[in-house]
Amino acid sequence: MTNDDRIKLEPSWKDALRGEFEQPYMQQLREFLRQEYAAGKEIYPPGPLIFNALNSTPLDQVKVVILGQDPYHGPGQAHGLCFSVQPGVPAPPSLVNIYKELQRDLNIPIPNHGYLQSWAEQGVLLLNTTMTVERSIAASHAKKGWESFTDRIIQLVSERQPATVFLLWGKHAQSKSVLIDGTKHLVLKSVHPSPLSAYRGFIGCGHFSRANKFLEQHGLAPVQWALPAL
């Protein structure tokens, strides 16, 4: 991973993040990943999809941010968007609970897949705070440098976008609220949608309707949360 033409990064993000690629933490992260690949370890998501969240949602089009923590670490699942899985992969439990809240909140039918690409293309930045993981080992790439990079992404959205909704589910996501200007953005917090906590406040939070109301109040198109069939 280097700051050259081999990085396929959407132009607005590449320009905004240019200085980050020269930072010591990024050089250390690059070396860590190089060693992981050299050791033959299976890393998710596949290399071309590591920056899928940024490539799918240009900086000047971000209107909602959903924060995840770690990519899925099972084969064929992760494709660079938090909570989302590739076509043909069953929706994981946390995403099923997100769908349940969408159904309760906006009467949206539960889809038969877990592919959230259409949200990303509408301006929903689906950002994992750690952007890679080793197969079958959750949080294996945590605290290797990704968090500094994604903190800067959150700050850039807060600084440059006029009115954005930040959906912070769970303690890890909520810890990022210090990076967000709450005077111009809507910050909504809840417990995580995982089966361990969803029924302690996520189901019933109404975040999706509240997000759309905020966007409409600021002259922005609401998100079409209903997913197209695959």
Side-chain angles (χ1 to χ4, degrees):
M1 190 176 65
T2 58
N3 189 22
D4 57 29
D5 290 338
R6 286 175 291 177
I7 289 182
K8 301 301 181 183
L9 193 55
E10 189 279 326
S12 68
W13 283 113
K14 192 165 188 175
D15 181 65
L17 293 164
R18 192 172 303 277
E20 295 302 301
F21 287 99
E22 306 309 321
Q23 295 295 320
Y25 80 82
M26 183 58 79
Q27 295 173 21
Q28 293 166 8
L29 174 60
R30 184 183 298 125
E31 177 60 20
F32 167 75
L33 290 173
R34 188 195 67 76
Q35 293 178 6
E36 293 286 283
Y37 287 118
K41 294 182 179 179
E42 196 167 346
I43 306 302
Y44 301 140
L49 294 176
I50 290 173
F51 294 119
N52 191 27
L54 304 181
N55 291 333
S56 300
T57 314
L59 174 55
D60 62 359
Q61 296 178 25
V62 176
K63 55 188 180 184
V64 177
V65 177
I66 298 178
L67 292 181
Q69 186 165 351
D70 214 26
Y72 294 120
H73 52 76
Q77 292 182 298
H79 66 114
L81 305 182
C82 73
F83 293 104
S84 181
V85 289
Q86 299 193 56
V89 178
S94 292
L95 182 54
V96 170
N97 285 330
I98 290 171
Y99 289 165
K100 289 178 180 178
E101 174 55 18
L102 273 168
Q103 184 180 52
R104 189 210 63 80
D105 189 18
L106 293 171
N107 199 32
I108 290 174
I110 293 178
N112 63 354
H113 63 85
Y115 188 58
L116 306 182
Q117 188 71 34
S118 71
W119 292 2
E121 292 170 1
Q122 293 180 72
V124 181
L125 181 63
L126 295 165
L127 182 68
N128 280 315
T129 57
T130 299
M131 299 182 82
T132 56
V133 70
E134 182 181 346
R135 175 175 177 165
S136 302
I137 307 177
S140 50
H141 290 187
K143 297 181 174 61
K144 301 297 184 182
W146 278 125
E147 293 87 348
S148 296
F149 184 70
T150 53
D151 279 359
R152 183 59 187 145
I153 291 170
I154 297 166
Q155 288 174 322
L156 283 166
V157 174
S158 179
E159 292 166 4
R160 300 194 183 185
Q161 290 298 88
T164 302
V165 182
F166 289 82
L167 302 181
L168 307 183
W169 301 332
K171 290 182 179 179
H172 176 78
Q174 290 172 23
S175 72
K176 304 299 181 179
S177 63
V178 296
L179 305 170
I180 302 163
D181 182 353
T183 66
K184 66 174 180 174
H185 303 299
L186 177 63
V187 180
L188 298 177
K189 300 178 181 180
S190 173
V191 297
H192 196 275
S194 80
L196 296 174
S197 57
Y199 288 92
R200 298 206 303 268
F202 180 80
I203 303 297
C205 68
H207 281 185
F208 301 101
S209 59
R210 292 168 68 185
N212 277 354
K213 181 178 179 181
F214 179 84
L215 294 173
E216 291 177 312
Q217 289 172 339
H218 289 83
L220 298 169
V223 176
Q224 300 301 314
W225 295 107
L227 293 166
L230 293 182

